[in-house]
Amino acid sequence: MANIGYIQVVRHCNHFCGFCSNPTTPYVHTFETMKVLVDDLVDRDYFGVILTGGEPSLHPELPRIARYATERGLHVRMITNGWRMADPEFAKEMADAGLKIVHVSVYSVRPDIEERLRGTAGTLEKAFAAVDNANRYGIEVNINCVINKLNAEHLDENIRHWLAHHPHIRHFVWNNLDPSMGRAEVNQEQYTPRLADFEVSLHRALRLLHQSGRTFRVEKVPLCYMTEFAWASTETRKIVKGEERIVHFLDAKQTVRQTDWEHIYADGCSACTLRPICGGLFDRGNAYDPGELYPVFIDRDAVVEKIIHDPRDPSYEFRSMDAWRQDFERRLAEARSQPKRPLQVHGDQPPASMSPPDAPAVGLITEQGLRLFESKRQSESRKAAQHGIALERREVQAPAAPPSEKPDP
C-alpha cells in the first residue's frame, strides 16, 4: 500500500488563519526528535512522508530532515503557505534536499478574501512566487485549498486562475473545513460552510480540472456532494484500498493512526448505493447538519474500478473486481467484529485504539519552548482581537502540567 505519514515539524506559523486546526503549542522538535519519526515511518513500510505544521519552513532543520527522509527511501512532500519558498535560494535548497512535491496552500485568488482568511497581507504574491520557484527547481507543485464559508462559492474561479496563469500545476487538493480543533472550533460561525454552499462551485472546479486532464483529490466531502467524481474522494480511496494514515502530532495527541474512515451518516444514507465506500460527514465539532446528506443511486463498482485501475497508483495489489470484493468483504467482517468506535467531538483526545503503543514520543516540551509559546500566545491574542476572531482553547493546546525536558545528547 502507498501509505503516507505526516510529521508536524513545528506548530507556529507566520500567518494567522482564523480557522487553523493546528495552532501553536509549547512542543518543539530537534533534528533528532524528527529523525526517530522518519525512522518510524520507514519501519512501518510507508511509501512517503508529508512535512507539515504550523508552517514547516520555519524550522531551521527542515532541509536536513527532508534530506534524511529521502536518504531513508521515503517520498518527501511538504505542505506550506509558500512564504519561504518564494525565496529562490530556499526553494533550491529544498529541491537539493530531495523534496519531491510541495503542496502550496491557497484559499482564494481574490486578494481581499485571501488576506482576510490568512490574517496577513501580501500572501498571494508570495504563494505565486513559491509555485514558480518550485517548478523552476524541479519540485512538483500541488495546490491545497481548505473549503470554508468565505471561498465556498468561487472554488471554480480559483481553478480558472491557476489554469490561466500557472499551467504547470497538474494536481489539486481540497479539504472541507474541520470544525473540531484549534481556532476552527471556536470560530465556526465565521468559517464553517453548509455543504450546499460549495456544491455547485466545487463541481464546476472538478469538471474544469477533469476536462483539462489534471488530477485532484477531495477530503471530508460526502459522496452525495461529489457523485460524478466519487473516485477522487480521499476517504473513499482509502476505504476501497484498505489504506491507513499516521500523523505525528506536535501536541498532546502525539501519534494517531487512522484506519477507520467512516464518520457521520443520516438515516437516509442506509439506502445509498455508495454507503459502503463513503466516509460520510466529517464533523467532530457539531457544526454541520447531517440533514444535508441524501442517498444517491449509482453503480458502486464503477467507482471502485476507477480507483483500483488507476495507473498512477501502481502499489495497489488487487486489480480485478473479484479479488477486490473478497478483500473488501474480509476487511468489513474484521471491522464488524471490533467494538464500535465512539464518535470524537470538539478536539478531544483520540481513543486509545488510534494511538499505536509502539510509536515514539513526538517532540519535546522545554523551558524555551514554553517561553516561546507564552510569547506567541500573547501576540496572537492581539491579532485575534484585531481581526474579530476567538483564540483557540488553551487547555487543548498545552498539557495542564507540562514536563520540562532536554533533548537527548
Side-chain angles (χ1 to χ4, degrees), residues 221-286:
V221 173
L223 294 186
C224 48
Y225 283 84
M226 53 178 294
T227 305
E228 182 178 347
F229 302 102
W231 48 266
S233 162
T234 298
E235 289 86 356
T236 292
R237 296 179 76 87
K238 290 187 177 297
I239 291 169
V240 165
K241 295 186 289 183
E243 291 180 342
E244 66 175 49
R245 176 165 61 193
I246 277 184
V247 181
H248 291 302
F249 285 99
L250 195 57
D251 62 18
K253 290 190 293 295
Q254 295 285 284
T255 295
V256 174
R257 175 174 176 258
Q258 186 175 1
T259 59
D260 183 351
W261 301 95
E262 295 191 341
H263 299 292
I264 296 173
Y265 303 88
D267 291 341
C269 293
S270 60
C272 179
T273 56
L274 297 184
R275 169 61 182 84
I277 59 170
C278 179
L281 180 61
F282 186 94
D283 184 7
R284 299 173 302 177
N286 297 326

Side-chain angles (χ1 to χ4, degrees), residues 187-201:
N187 293 286
Q188 292 179 356
E189 182 62 30
Q190 289 196 51
Y191 298 107
T192 306
R194 296 185 311 124
L195 301 179
D197 291 344
F198 62 78
E199 181 177 19
V200 173
S201 74

Side-chain angles (χ1 to χ4, degrees), residues 150-369:
L150 277 68
N151 68 7
E153 45 76 39
H154 64 274
L155 301 176
D156 54 322
E157 179 183 327
N158 293 350
I159 293 304
R160 292 180 193 278
H161 176 93
W162 292 115
L163 296 185
H165 299 283
H166 303 274
H168 60 272
I169 301 173
R170 308 298 300 178
H171 188 78
F172 294 77
V173 180
W174 282 272
N175 283 272
N176 193 27
L177 181 70
D178 176 358
S180 66
M181 299 193 302
R183 286 192 286 276
E185 178 194 2
V186 294
N187 293 286
Q188 292 179 356
E189 182 62 30
Q190 289 196 51
Y191 298 107
T192 306
R194 296 185 311 124
L195 301 179
D197 291 344
F198 62 78
E199 181 177 19
V200 173
S201 74
L202 178 62
H203 184 266
R204 288 173 177 164
L206 300 183
R207 180 163 284 185
L208 279 169
L209 291 174
H210 191 57
Q211 290 173 344
S212 74
R214 288 167 171 81
T215 57
F216 46 86
R217 296 289 180 265
V218 185
E219 191 161 337
K220 303 183 182 74
V221 173
L223 294 186
C224 48
Y225 283 84
M226 53 178 294
T227 305
E228 182 178 347
F229 302 102
W231 48 266
S233 162
T234 298
E235 289 86 356
T236 292
R237 296 179 76 87
K238 290 187 177 297
I239 291 169
V240 165
K241 295 186 289 183
E243 291 180 342
E244 66 175 49
R245 176 165 61 193
I246 277 184
V247 181
H248 291 302
F249 285 99
L250 195 57
D251 62 18
K253 290 190 293 295
Q254 295 285 284
T255 295
V256 174
R257 175 174 176 258
Q258 186 175 1
T259 59
D260 183 351
W261 301 95
E262 295 191 341
H263 299 292
I264 296 173
Y265 303 88
D267 291 341
C269 293
S270 60
C272 179
T273 56
L274 297 184
R275 169 61 182 84
I277 59 170
C278 179
L281 180 61
F282 186 94
D283 184 7
R284 299 173 302 177
N286 297 326
Y288 293 102
D289 180 8
E292 286 196 87
L293 302 178
Y294 57 91
V296 296
F297 303 96
I298 66 171
D299 185 356
R300 180 202 70 175
D301 287 357
V303 176
V304 172
E305 288 208 27
K306 281 183 176 291
I307 295 171
I308 67 174
H309 294 150
D310 185 349
R312 290 177 294 271
D313 182 14
S315 68
Y316 186 64
E317 60 180 316
F318 300 114
R319 296 295 180 174
S320 75
M321 285 301 297
D322 286 342
W324 175 80
R325 287 191 192 95
Q326 291 181 23
D327 177 66
F328 189 60
E329 290 300 327
R330 176 189 60 78
R331 287 188 279 116
L332 282 180
E334 289 179 359
R336 294 187 186 112
S337 69
Q338 301 297 318
K340 187 172 178 58
R341 175 173 58 89
L343 288 176
Q344 182 187 347
V345 296
H346 286 298
D348 293 339
Q349 288 292 103
S353 60
M354 296 181 70
S355 299
D358 58 342
V362 182
L364 302 165
I365 296 181
T366 65
E367 292 182 4
Q368 182 183 18

Side-chain angles (χ1 to χ4, degrees), residues 63-130:
R64 186 182 176 194
I65 197 63
R67 181 174 291 105
Y68 178 75
T70 299
E71 292 170 349
R72 293 291 333 257
L74 293 177
H75 186 274
V76 181
R77 310 180 184 189
M78 174 175 68
I79 299 175
T80 176
N81 60 34
W83 196 271
R84 290 203 65 200
M85 289 290 290
D87 175 1
E89 291 186 4
F90 182 76
K92 184 178 186 303
E93 185 178 11
M94 291 304 299
D96 292 343
L99 182 66
K100 295 294 190 295
I101 298 178
V102 60
H103 300 253
V104 180
S105 296
V106 177
Y107 309 133
S108 175
V109 296
R110 297 179 182 178
D112 58 329
I113 299 296
E114 183 75 354
E115 180 174 337
R116 182 177 170 189
L117 290 170
R118 290 285 183 184
T120 307
T123 62
L124 269 181
E125 291 80 1
K126 293 283 191 180
F128 295 155

